């Protein structure tokens, strides 16, 4: 499947927990950044679990009606592409996939209305946050996902090339005190493989950081392993929750 732009639709908080291998109880009382947040419900779910969560997305400059319209249009557009895509398993429940997007949108709109301070207009590779201002930084369905088609991604344009990925990753690491988790770390195809840019990015990690791939249980219609990339800062063992020790 190919996409001419980054589509604006979100995942439910439950989906995010699955593809980030995340247990919110381990991060209660800590600060988490979801970038890009899109019209997803993770921030609302995290707050209810006692986690201070901030979402960042360039489209948060838009009004709530505009955000809703953009999301509904992008969901419809993407579902049309998915229906014709050979990358999905025949048994993948696309109706349920779409329903999840609508559920996430409704939760997002309500939370954005009630907690506007938790949603910041910002875009990689330059974020308006101080260094090490979050304990955990999450980045879903942007890096690797929107790499050019020839490199295993969805993009029809070369905007998100390897150099952009290096700068974006450096920025995610800059604002994190402990961890960064990125999903997907695989190519977007029927039988995914580890994205070819994972190793070049791991090779240029700044001092003090280490990374590893972790399998996930999240099902987005592919066949095979769909790993997440987890990056941790050395010297934070005493700060990490039990799951990260």
């Amino acid at each position: 499947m190919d996409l001419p732009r980054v589509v604006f639709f979100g995942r439910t908080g439950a989906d995010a927990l699955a593809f980030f291998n995340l247990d919110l109880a381990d991060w209660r009382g800590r600060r988490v950044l979801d970038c890009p947040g899109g019209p997803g419900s993770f921030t609302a779910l995290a707050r209810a679990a006692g986690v201070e969560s901030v979402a960042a997305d360039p489209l948060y400059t838009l009004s709530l009606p505009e955000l809703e319209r953009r999301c509904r249009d992008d969901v419809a557009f993407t579902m049309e592409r998915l229906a014709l895509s050979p990358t999905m398993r025949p048994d993948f429940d696309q109706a349920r996939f779409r329903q999840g997007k609508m559920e996430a949108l409704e939760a997002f709109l309500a939370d954005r209305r009630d907690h506007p301070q938790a949603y910041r207009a910002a875009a990689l590779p330059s974020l308006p946050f101080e260094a090490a201002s979050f304990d955990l930084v999450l980045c879903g369905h942007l890096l690797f996902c929107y790499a050019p088609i020839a490199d295993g991604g969805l993009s029809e344009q070369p905007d998100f090339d390897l150099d952009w990925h290096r700068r974006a990753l450096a920025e995610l690491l800059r604002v994190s005190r402990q961890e960064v988790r990125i999903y997907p770390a695989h190519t977007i195809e029927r039988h995914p493989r580890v994205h070819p840019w994972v190793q070049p990015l791991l090779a240029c990690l700044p001092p003090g950081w280490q990374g590893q791939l972790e399998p996930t249980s999240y099902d987005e219609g592919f066949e095979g392993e769909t790993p997440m990339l987890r990056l941790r800062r050395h010297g934070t063992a005493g700060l990490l929750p039990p799951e990260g020790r």
Side-chain angles (χ1 to χ4, degrees):
M1 187 174 72
D2 57 306
L3 294 172
R5 63 179 185 278
V6 176
V7 292
F8 186 69
F9 63 61
R11 272 75 178 175
T12 65
D15 283 344
L17 298 184
F19 57 69
F20 285 129
N21 287 347
L22 194 60
D23 184 345
L24 289 176
D26 292 333
W27 297 90
R28 189 172 293 121
R30 300 172 189 266
R31 196 165 190 242
V32 176
L33 173 66
D34 182 18
C35 176
S41 61
F42 172 79
T43 292
L45 181 69
R47 183 185 307 104
V51 178
E52 182 185 352
S53 181
V54 175
D57 195 287
L59 290 188
Y60 290 164
T61 57
L62 301 178
S63 67
L64 284 178
E66 290 173 318
L67 288 169
E68 180 176 7
R69 188 180 312 113
R70 175 66 179 267
C71 178
R72 291 185 181 278
D73 287 348
D74 279 1
V75 168
F77 171 77
T78 305
M79 295 309 299
E80 290 176 0
R81 293 288 181 104
L82 277 179
L84 302 174
S85 174
T87 63
M88 299 291 103
R89 297 192 318 268
D91 67 335
F92 183 63
D93 191 341
Q94 295 191 23
R96 185 176 179 181
F97 181 76
R98 181 189 182 282
Q99 180 182 354
K101 302 295 168 286
M102 294 298 98
E103 291 174 357
L105 172 62
E106 293 304 319
F108 161 77
L109 292 172
D111 198 60
R112 170 72 187 276
R113 185 179 299 112
D114 295 340
H115 302 279
Q117 73 282 356
Y119 296 87
R120 298 283 302 275
L124 288 169
S126 180
L127 300 176
F129 306 114
E130 294 182 3
S133 53
F134 297 93
D135 297 290
L136 171 66
V137 174
L138 306 173
C139 184
H141 297 92
L142 181 61
L143 272 71
F144 306 122
C145 189
Y146 282 93
I149 295 169
D151 295 296
L154 292 168
S155 184
E156 294 180 349
Q157 302 177 7
D159 302 32
F160 302 104
D161 60 10
L162 181 55
D163 179 65
W164 181 91
H165 275 67
R166 287 193 180 101
R167 290 183 288 122
L169 178 58
E171 185 70 346
L172 294 172
L173 297 174
R174 183 187 69 82
V175 301
S176 176
R177 189 164 66 96
Q178 294 179 222
E179 280 199 36
V180 173
R181 301 189 190 189
I182 300 170
Y183 180 88
H186 59 79
T187 54
I188 308 302
E189 52 191 340
R190 178 72 168 270
H191 299 279
R193 53 196 165 87
V194 173
H195 198 280
W197 291 353
V198 167
Q199 287 306 317
L201 292 181
L202 289 177
C204 67
L205 290 179
W209 285 93
Q210 62 182 359
Q212 66 184 51
L213 292 168
E214 292 186 359
T216 71
S217 61
Y218 184 60
D219 181 13
E220 204 164 21
F222 304 114
E223 293 180 318
E225 293 187 2
T226 54
M228 177 263 297
L229 179 60
R230 183 177 180 183
L231 304 150
R232 287 179 280 188
R233 188 192 291 268
H234 292 293
T236 57
L239 302 174
L240 292 171
E243 173 260 348
R245 293 183 189 272

